[in-house]
Amino acid sequence: MTDEPIDIGVLGYRFMGKAHANALDRLPMFFEDAPETNRHTVIGRDEEALAEAAETLGFDHTATDWRDVIDEVDAFYNLGPNHLHVEPSIAALEAGTPVLCEKPLAPTLSGAEEMRDAAADADVPAACAFNYRFVPAIRYAKRLIDAGELGEIRQVRGRYLQDWLSDPEAPWSWRNDEEMAGSGALGDLGAHTIDLARFLVGDRVGEAASVSGYLQTFTDERPVEGEDGETRPVTVDDAYSAQVEYDSGAMATFEASRVTEGHKNDHTIAVHGSEGSLEFSLERLNELEVMTGDARGYETVLVTDEDDPYIDHWWPPGHVIGWEHTFVHENYEFLKSVARGEDFSPSFEDAYEVQRVLDAVERSDAEGVRVALD
């Protein structure tokens, strides 16, 4: 294990760049055993915006080409748009630099496969940033499932609903373009839910065996911000739904939408077994609804005790944490893996398995048939 500070290079400085920079800032304050880090270089295209971001987010250097950075840092965070995930991540791994890449792993299954294979050939951690695995209540839920408290797992239900694209006049962005994003609500939101289900019950139900999916786009074009009267086509889905059969025979229903009025960040997952059930909502992320044993209904468990996952690093029992803390936990685990030279989960292999389901949903919708996964 190295005791030297880990120099970090980050591609991207907007939404996810801020979330991870904030996490790096919090780590030494609350996680005393976290590896020491140095925010070395932030990467982007606009030099003026980069300089401002470096000052705001605490980076020592800026760069406009990721190729100039991957050999100079000890860890590479790929937080750029989806179409920038494949080439920089593979190049960093081939240079022997650990990688943390945002989700979904790639716009396409073939791209994800290339990234998975590069990670398998590299002797460094390759992580995919499914941050919701690091919610204490989700970790607590996994403990209950692994301990058999729910019995045989029969059914999973997951949804991720937002409304930021409900207005047809909401401006076009790269997230509305198939070439850059790969998919819409399916990859942006559905990837999270599919990964959470795999994390929670994968050891008990196996992988997805078959998938039936449906995609829908409600707004075909959107205005270009700052360009009066100009529009661009929307080439991805606004919403999706899917039914999944797992190897064990357990079933799952998933849905996501970016046009559901009244839902800001409604990510909910429920697991039902032969002896109990549980349900988690991101909008109440300190709580877990649990029903086991002889209980007649659900009990609301506040997951803020000192012996709950990660909570001992924060506040006294009963004092809640928030969405941003998931990134602190994720960075803590990833950087420990980097310092120790150990594998990290969720890995590129894990993210590839999620991508297989995303691809199967798209194929099922395109062909109008249920798709079997080999």
Side-chain angles (χ1 to χ4, degrees):
M1 177 172 178
T2 179
D3 292 326
E4 294 296 317
I6 298 173
D7 286 339
I8 297 174
V10 174
L11 172 60
Y13 52 83
R14 299 193 186 279
F15 184 24
M16 285 298 101
K18 292 177 180 178
H20 285 277
N22 175 70
L24 294 170
D25 215 28
R26 301 280 77 76
L27 270 179
M29 189 182 302
F30 292 96
F31 288 73
E32 295 180 358
D33 61 332
E36 185 179 350
T37 63
N38 174 42
R39 276 164 273 176
H40 188 278
T41 304
V42 60
I43 309 160
R45 294 177 298 177
D46 185 323
E47 291 186 355
E48 185 177 343
L50 269 176
E52 183 178 342
E55 182 176 355
T56 301
L57 304 180
F59 285 86
D60 297 331
H61 308 282
T62 64
T64 56
D65 191 336
W66 53 264
R67 297 170 184 83
D68 298 331
V69 179
I70 57 175
D71 285 318
E72 302 298 320
V73 296
D74 303 311
F76 176 65
Y77 284 35
N78 190 339
L79 313 180
N82 300 349
H83 71 289
L84 294 179
H85 286 183
V86 179
E87 185 183 3
S89 297
I90 290 175
L93 291 170
E94 290 177 344
T97 303
V99 174
L100 174 69
C101 183
E102 263 301 326
K103 42 53 59 183
L105 193 58
T108 64
L109 181 61
S110 60
E113 185 175 10
E114 289 180 49
M115 294 175 73
R116 179 204 63 181
D117 293 346
D121 292 337
D123 192 26
V124 294
C128 191
F130 287 114
N131 60 301
Y132 297 137
R133 287 193 181 203
F134 301 93
V135 177
I138 288 292
R139 294 274 166 154
Y140 181 75
K142 182 166 175 56
R143 285 182 185 176
L144 296 178
I145 293 168
D146 288 349
E149 293 291 330
L150 272 57
E152 177 190 352
I153 303 303
R154 294 173 171 172
Q155 188 176 2
V156 178
R157 296 180 297 111
R159 72 182 192 198
Y160 204 150
L161 307 179
Q162 298 179 344
D163 66 0
W164 62 282
L165 286 177
S166 293
D167 184 353
E169 295 303 309
W172 184 95
S173 74
W174 67 265
R175 295 182 186 275
N176 299 124
D177 184 85
E178 184 179 13
E179 289 297 317
M180 289 190 276
S183 61
L186 174 63
D188 187 21
L189 307 178
H192 271 304
T193 315
I194 293 164
D195 177 72
L196 265 194
R198 188 170 180 270
F199 173 65
L200 289 171
V201 304
D203 290 339
R204 303 180 72 84
V205 303
E207 300 290 355
S210 64
V211 175
S212 178
Y214 176 63
L215 306 174
Q216 184 61 272
T217 303
F218 299 102
T219 301
D220 294 328
E221 61 181 20
R222 292 189 176 275
V224 179
E225 195 166 20
E227 301 291 337
D228 189 34
E230 183 179 343
T231 64
R232 288 186 184 177
V234 174
T235 52
V236 298
D237 57 286
D238 285 323
Y240 93 97
S241 63
Q243 291 185 315
V244 176
E245 179 189 13
Y246 291 104
D247 291 332
S248 70
M251 65 177 290
T253 56
F254 297 122
E255 63 172 330
S257 172
R258 302 191 292 201
V259 296
T260 41
E261 283 282 10
H263 296 264
K264 300 303 180 186
N265 201 33
D266 179 6
H267 191 195
T268 301
I269 189 163
V271 180
H272 305 285
S274 59
E275 298 177 22
S277 297
L278 57 81
E279 184 167 338
F280 167 81
S281 170
L282 184 63
E283 292 182 337
R284 303 182 70 88
L285 65 77
N286 292 277
E287 299 177 359
L288 187 68
E289 300 293 322
V290 180
M291 190 188 78
T292 57
D294 296 328
R296 296 179 62 183
Y298 283 92
E299 173 188 13
T300 301
V301 178
L302 187 62
V303 188
T304 59
D305 282 357
E306 189 174 1
D307 60 350
D308 287 327
Y310 301 117
I311 296 298
D312 60 316
H313 291 280
W314 296 107
W315 315 115
H319 291 68
V320 297
I321 63 171
W323 177 83
E324 71 275 15
H325 296 84
T326 65
F327 293 89
V328 182
H329 305 158
E330 177 181 55
N331 275 268
Y332 173 64
E333 300 292 358
F334 174 66
L335 292 167
K336 282 199 305 180
S337 295
V338 171
R340 297 171 179 173
E342 297 175 347
D343 291 339
F344 176 87
S345 183
S347 64
F348 277 19
E349 175 68 35
D350 294 318
Y352 171 75
E353 291 298 332
V354 172
Q355 199 92 30
R356 291 178 70 228
V357 179
L358 302 180
D359 178 74
V361 172
E362 291 182 301
R363 286 190 288 127
S364 174
D365 174 73
E367 299 169 14
V369 298
R370 190 168 188 85
V371 172
L373 283 79
D374 294 332

